[in-house]
Amino acid sequence: MSDIIVEHGTTSDGLMAARVDGLAYIAVPLKVGFSIVSGWKLNRPICEWSRSDVYCAEGAVADEVSFRAYIADIALHVRQRNALGRVDTILRVSTPWGMSQSATIYAEGIVFHSTAGHGGFKLDRARNAGMHPALRLSGGWYEEDAEWALVAAGYPDLFTYREQAMADRALRDWYPDAWEAVHGRTLSAAESFTRDRQQFARRHAKDWIVISAVRSSNHLGMVEALATVGGDRNSQETRRFLVRVGEYAAGRHGFVIVPAFHQEMTCLGIF
């Protein structure tokens, strides 16, 4: 794999930063740890960069050691990507998201298209037929937000280790049935966002789950929480409860009302 240039330094506003083959990364302090924010084509010396030069939050790290490890992982990804020999080109193709404005050929029959607003992969008939049945979408179009992971799982040799890991995480979280079919085992709730949400839904199917909440203007230090049974947003039956500001948090799948503890607003004579 061809080598690339990796630089570390400090920005003009005193932040840890790094450059990897044209990609810029700045570690922005949080209450705990740092947010990694990236930018593109910052050709100036790192000491002249500032927080305003980057705009895309990519993740978080705990300290300088983990920031450097993150940058090393990016460098490996770039080296592997360069070695894969992807070809950037322009193909006048109509996609489900509009006309293709640019394209990247990953291999014969596997092309990623970018449009004005979205993008995704197009697999030709032979390549799509070669996908595992659990990963295959009819028509061969795979959008870039989540369905791209199906392509990466189907043809892992065309993707970097970092991309493969991201695809595996996406499949576990959003396509657990497909992941289980490919790997031959069941995912636990701890391994998959969707499986965790399904378990939450089963456990709280008869409970009142908050679907929206606002800071109360009539009750100091309280949140007015609108809830439905099971968190069903299509339900016509709703109730409002008061929850202490310090207690309320939407959580991973929703806030569960405990009627014996959270007072219903109708019981207060407000409605």
Side-chain angles (χ1 to χ4, degrees):
M1 291 181 285
S2 61
D3 203 8
I4 61 171
I5 297 175
V6 179
E7 300 175 71
H8 284 272
T10 303
T11 66
S12 61
D13 39 3
L15 303 178
M16 292 187 295
R19 175 163 38 210
V20 182
D21 199 33
L23 301 171
Y25 297 89
I26 294 178
V28 178
L30 301 170
K31 288 184 178 180
V32 178
F34 300 85
S35 173
I36 300 178
V37 188
S38 66
W40 173 243
K41 293 184 177 180
L42 293 185
N43 297 319
R44 307 190 310 275
I46 291 178
C47 63
E48 296 180 7
W49 295 0
S50 70
R51 169 65 181 85
S52 61
D53 287 321
V54 291
Y55 44 83
C56 182
E58 294 200 359
V61 294
D63 50 29
E64 181 178 0
V65 172
S66 51
F67 176 67
R68 286 181 171 270
Y70 184 94
I71 296 303
D73 187 59
I74 292 293
L76 175 60
H77 159 71
V78 173
R79 291 188 184 98
Q80 291 179 340
R81 185 190 62 193
N82 292 347
L84 287 170
R86 297 170 185 171
V87 178
D88 293 326
T89 186
I90 295 176
L91 300 172
R92 298 302 295 169
V93 174
S94 177
T95 80
W97 316 286
M99 288 299 298
S100 175
Q101 294 185 340
S102 63
T104 300
I105 301 173
Y106 279 58
E108 183 178 356
I110 301 179
V111 181
F112 183 88
H113 293 277
S114 295
T115 72
H118 206 56
F121 282 98
K122 178 63 171 82
L123 273 59
D124 67 15
R125 184 173 298 180
R127 286 291 194 174
N128 210 38
M131 292 278 281
H132 188 289
L135 303 173
R136 186 188 308 128
L137 298 181
S138 61
W141 290 103
Y142 298 78
E143 60 85 28
E144 65 182 350
D145 287 343
E147 293 171 357
W148 77 273
L150 300 170
V151 179
Y155 293 99
D157 291 347
L158 301 180
F159 293 82
T160 70
Y161 291 154
R162 181 178 177 82
E163 290 168 339
Q164 290 174 29
M166 292 170 63
D168 185 74
R169 180 73 266 170
L171 287 184
R172 288 169 181 257
D173 283 340
W174 305 112
Y175 299 94
D177 291 340
W179 192 96
E180 291 171 352
V182 170
H183 293 274
R185 72 171 182 86
T186 300
L187 288 165
S188 69
E191 296 175 296
S192 165
F193 178 86
T194 293
R195 291 290 183 254
D196 190 44
R197 183 167 57 186
Q198 291 168 342
Q199 185 181 90
F200 176 90
R202 289 192 296 269
R203 187 164 58 246
H204 298 289
K206 297 181 179 180
D207 292 329
W208 291 91
I209 310 297
V210 176
I211 60 172
S212 68
V214 295
R215 189 76 170 257
S216 178
S217 58
N218 297 316
H219 303 276
L220 186 64
M222 304 296 283
V223 168
E224 297 180 13
L226 181 68
T228 62
V229 174
D232 182 1
R233 294 182 177 273
N234 296 317
S235 174
Q236 298 301 309
E237 183 182 5
T238 62
R239 294 184 184 178
R240 290 182 181 274
F241 299 85
L242 287 176
V243 181
R244 291 191 305 275
V245 169
E247 177 190 1
Y248 181 77
R252 187 172 171 85
H253 304 298
F255 186 88
V256 180
I257 292 294
V258 181
F261 184 73
H262 301 120
Q263 196 163 16
E264 188 175 354
M265 293 185 70
T266 53
C267 298
L268 301 174
I270 296 174
F271 296 113

